[in-house]
Amino acid sequence: MRPLSVLIEQFKEDSLNRLSSKIIAEGKAQGKKIIGYVCHYTPEEIIYAAGMLPIRILGGPEPSDIGSAYLHRNMCPFARSCLSQGLEKHYDFLDGIVIPHTCDAICKLYDMWRLYVKIPFAFMIDHPHQLTPGAVHYLTHELNRFQKSLEEFAGTPISEESLREAVVIYNTNRSLLKHLYELRKVNAPPISGAETFQVVKASMLLPKPLHTQMLQELLETLDSQGESDGKGSRILVSGSIIEGSEFIQLIEECGAQVVIDNLCVGSKYFWNNIHLDGNILEAISHRYVHQSPCACVYSDQKGFEQLKGLSKDYHVDAVILYSLKFCDTYHYDFPSQKEKLEKEGIPVLELESEHSSGAHGQLKTRIEAFLEMIGKHSRGDS
Ligand code: SF4
Ligand code: SF4
């Protein structure tokens, strides 16, 4: 059994980037098509079943201005950063992109990518924005259109058998990630929030069978380790997309433990599995309609129920609601979520920043003050 530190190291940013680049280069050399996708509303299973490699597109580690020449400065910094990465040719290896219709910023990103980055294959999935009885039916129709478009691009049909096989592979990976999160329910989890974040992020950048193998080895070691010496307030982080582990790490360096998240590069990515009964496209559609929602897709009530449930299950002391600047959808939801959580006796800190990865030093003072306050609160001081 390899030491835990060695296993965790594989998921850290530098190692992960090296491994991902190597796999992409090998795939390209074998003629494999690589498809970039932008959001956890993308049904990767269909891309995988087409024999292609899905890779999540993320922004750069530092803010970049190039994207702002095409997407206005008062639009989502994540969308602008992704576009900058495309314009700076960091995603030149992609054969195609898939973007679901979620928020306006993501839709504009799709238009700009097609116009200015240029790519052989581009597809937008029109994801339903209401949880009506017709939503699953509508998305099934969209996924059927997506499947046909991919088949045409690949020059080969996607069989029912390969779709089912892809779903099984993805379900296995999701179940293992859920097991990893289960380990964080204990008083002193054996793996930190920042490390866990990297493990989930790696699942979006590596082929699923390889990630599953790495994760299985990690879990075997974690299962045999028992609890760590972790301490500090137990925090849930929710909100806009967070692309790098630096923000979670900052909270943990301030003395807390991020034991659970409600993020799209996080628990939302794997929380729900796909059942294998009946029509497989409909089953995939059902999963993507009913997965843990982004604020840009459904009303905040479902989001609040999710936060309340996770707070209880993970024995959370406080919630940090994080938003990117100009992310109207999360800004809109936060006041009512904060009010409802505080009514449940859960303290809430709202934070906003310009860039979701890289340095967050300016937020440190506010996090420290908040942790100090909830520390006093839990000790019963005034
Ligand atoms: S924040 Fe919402 S729209 Fe943006 S990538 Fe995440 S799930 Fe998609
Ligand atoms: S929901 Fe907010 S953070 Fe996510 S992509 Fe849209 S504007 Fe950006």
Side-chain angles (χ1 to χ4, degrees):
M1 200 178 272
R2 293 195 286 169
L4 184 58
S5 58
V6 173
L7 299 177
I8 285 178
E9 187 59 40
Q10 311 173 92
F11 296 98
K12 292 203 173 148
E13 203 65 20
D14 288 348
S15 315
L16 181 58
N17 287 339
R18 274 197 301 277
L19 182 56
S20 170
S21 302
K22 181 171 167 275
I23 287 162
I24 288 166
E26 286 169 2
K28 296 294 281 181
Q30 291 159 12
K32 198 174 186 77
K33 289 193 164 48
I34 320 279
I35 304 293
Y37 69 95
V38 168
C39 173
H40 89 306
Y41 279 96
T42 308
E44 281 179 69
E45 294 85 351
I46 303 176
I47 304 170
Y48 188 91
M52 303 175 189
L53 177 62
I55 298 263
R56 187 149 178 168
I57 295 175
L58 295 165
E62 300 295 334
S64 162
D65 249 9
I66 298 179
S68 307
Y70 299 82
L71 290 175
H72 199 274
R73 274 178 194 284
N74 64 6
M75 281 199 112
C76 168
F78 162 66
R80 281 186 281 133
S81 181
C82 288
L83 184 62
S84 296
Q85 292 287 296
L87 292 166
E88 286 168 354
K89 303 193 179 302
H90 295 298
Y91 283 105
D92 259 13
F93 57 85
L94 290 181
D95 297 287
I97 51 159
V98 181
I99 295 187
H101 177 185
T102 48
C103 65
D104 287 352
I106 295 293
C107 291
K108 286 285 162 246
L109 170 63
Y110 176 72
D111 292 338
M112 294 301 122
W113 200 293
R114 274 192 315 156
L115 281 171
Y116 298 109
V117 182
K118 297 195 173 34
I119 191 123
F121 175 83
F123 195 94
M124 175 174 273
I125 298 170
D126 189 20
H127 190 91
H129 282 59
Q130 294 290 324
L131 268 180
T132 60
V136 173
H137 179 70
Y138 182 80
L139 187 61
T140 308
H141 175 80
E142 272 300 284
L143 298 190
N144 194 24
R145 207 169 59 83
F146 176 46
Q147 179 178 340
K148 287 201 165 77
S149 181
L150 268 183
E151 288 173 337
E152 202 177 305
F153 181 54
T156 163
I158 301 170
S159 68
E160 160 101 15
E161 193 192 353
S162 59
L163 260 181
R164 287 186 178 274
E165 205 176 296
V167 168
V168 170
I169 288 168
Y170 273 70
N171 276 352
T172 304
N173 190 262
R174 284 189 279 254
S175 300
L176 290 172
L177 285 170
K178 220 161 170 187
H179 180 118
L180 177 69
Y181 270 52
E182 282 292 311
L183 298 178
R184 302 166 70 207
K185 283 184 175 167
V186 298
N187 188 35
I191 180 166
S192 74
E195 289 162 346
T196 306
F197 180 96
Q198 283 300 131
V199 176
V200 180
K201 182 173 170 178
S203 178
M204 301 167 197
L205 300 176
L206 300 176
K208 279 289 176 287
L210 172 63
H211 186 266
T212 293
Q213 196 187 326
M214 290 163 66
L215 182 52
Q216 269 166 338
E217 191 181 0
L218 175 67
L219 287 173
E220 273 167 31
T221 306
L222 287 173
D223 283 338
S224 66
Q225 296 268 317
E227 296 186 30
S228 74
D229 57 354
K231 52 186 179 299
S233 300
R234 297 173 66 84
I235 303 293
L236 182 160
V237 176
S238 180
S240 303
I241 185 166
I242 291 179
E243 301 160 80
S245 56
E246 295 87 348
F247 178 65
I248 309 283
Q249 196 172 334
L250 176 68
I251 298 169
E252 295 189 323
E253 281 168 4
C254 291
Q257 311 179 76
V258 177
V259 290
I260 182 67
D261 67 77
N262 191 36
L263 299 166
C264 71
V265 180
S267 70
K268 289 183 188 180
Y269 177 66
F270 62 82
W271 211 250
N272 305 80
N273 260 343
I274 297 172
H275 61 78
L276 285 152
D277 309 327
N279 180 294
I280 192 67
L281 267 193
E282 199 175 310
I284 296 173
S285 165
H286 188 276
R287 189 253 172 208
Y288 282 90
V289 165
H290 290 284
Q291 69 179 332
S292 180
C294 176
C296 66
V297 173
Y298 305 127
S299 77
D300 81 319
Q301 185 55 29
K302 189 166 184 210
F304 166 69
E305 294 299 336
Q306 190 85 12
L307 290 181
K308 193 176 145 190
L310 289 174
S311 300
K312 185 167 170 273
D313 293 349
Y314 283 80
H315 318 293
V316 155
D317 296 309
V319 170
I320 294 183
L321 297 175
Y322 168 81
S323 71
L324 275 173
K325 226 170 182 166
F326 311 119
C327 174
D328 297 343
T329 53
Y330 277 98
H331 285 156
Y332 182 79
D333 272 7
F334 280 176
S336 70
Q337 287 190 346
K338 185 170 189 290
E339 194 185 325
K340 287 176 192 166
L341 285 165
E342 285 176 346
K343 267 193 194 146
E344 299 285 328
I346 304 169
V348 176
L349 174 67
E350 250 188 272
L351 292 174
E352 181 192 77
S353 81
E354 174 71 36
H355 195 65
S356 80
S357 55
H360 285 93
Q362 73 279 18
L363 301 179
K364 191 166 182 265
T365 316
R366 292 197 57 204
I367 297 169
E368 282 173 342
F370 178 67
L371 294 177
E372 171 73 11
M373 190 270 291
I374 61 171
K376 279 181 187 165
H377 184 261
S378 62
R379 287 198 305 271
D381 300 351
S382 61

